[in-house]
Every structure is written in structure tokens, then in C-alpha cells.
Amino acid sequence: MKAIHLFRFKDSIFHKIPYFKEDHKLNSDIEGFDLLTIEIVTEYIINTYDDFTFENTSQPDLLLMCNNAQTIIEHYFVITLDDYGFV
């Protein structure tokens, strides 16, 4: 058995944390940030078989694995206009 990390953003599962810059990650409580646009990426730590390959696993199977994760961590990212290519 081995532990893997899967990341969910919106309705997709990724093997690596998607899209966001590390310097946009919030490291404090998100209360009081009502005026900011915040996206949440959920990390799932899952024990799986040694021969598991992300690329050969269907999205429904990945979602099922995430639903059975032992550890779940939410990452919060502040989104700015330049993240969307508007600046």
C-alpha cells in the first residue's frame, strides 16, 4: 500500500494541485475575507495499492476514492484579475 494525494477543483480530479500560484494561498482563517474571490482546492490523502496509476483510473473511480479518503485538507486561494488574464 502507498499513500497518494489527489486534488479536486470544481468537478475535476488532479494528480497535482491545479492552476494556482503558491503565493496566492491563504495561510490564515478565511473569515473576514468576504470581499475577495476565493477558490477552494480540496486535497485527499488516500491509501491505495502499489500498482495504482492515476492516468489509468477513470474520473468516477477517482471520485469514489476521494469520497473514501482518510484525510481531507482544504486549500484556499485568493483569485486576482491577472489570474484570469485580465491585467
Side-chain angles (χ1 to χ4, degrees):
M1 296 294 281
K2 67 179 178 180
I4 61 167
H5 297 249
L6 296 177
F7 299 89
R8 183 176 185 177
F9 175 65
K10 304 219 182 251
D11 290 327
S12 296
I13 304 293
F14 300 88
H15 191 55
K16 297 180 181 177
I17 199 162
Y19 306 122
F20 302 105
K21 298 175 185 176
E22 187 65 28
D23 59 338
H24 290 176
K25 188 173 184 179
L26 289 175
N27 293 320
S28 61
D29 189 11
I30 63 169
E31 289 183 36
F33 288 101
D34 294 338
L35 300 177
L36 299 175
T37 300
I38 298 172
E39 293 287 356
I40 300 171
V41 175
T42 307
E43 178 180 1
Y44 300 90
I45 302 173
I46 302 163
N47 287 325
T48 188
Y49 297 105
D50 290 333
D51 61 351
F52 170 82
T53 56
F54 178 81
E55 296 77 16
N56 294 333
T57 308
S58 68
Q59 282 288 315
D61 287 342
L62 291 171
L63 286 170
L64 183 60
M65 292 172 70
C66 290
N67 289 337
N68 295 322
Q70 294 177 336
T71 305
I72 300 172
I73 303 167
E74 288 187 337
H75 301 276
Y76 302 93
F77 293 89
V78 176
I79 304 304
T80 61
L81 290 178
D82 62 337
D83 291 328
Y84 293 111
F86 295 125
V87 175

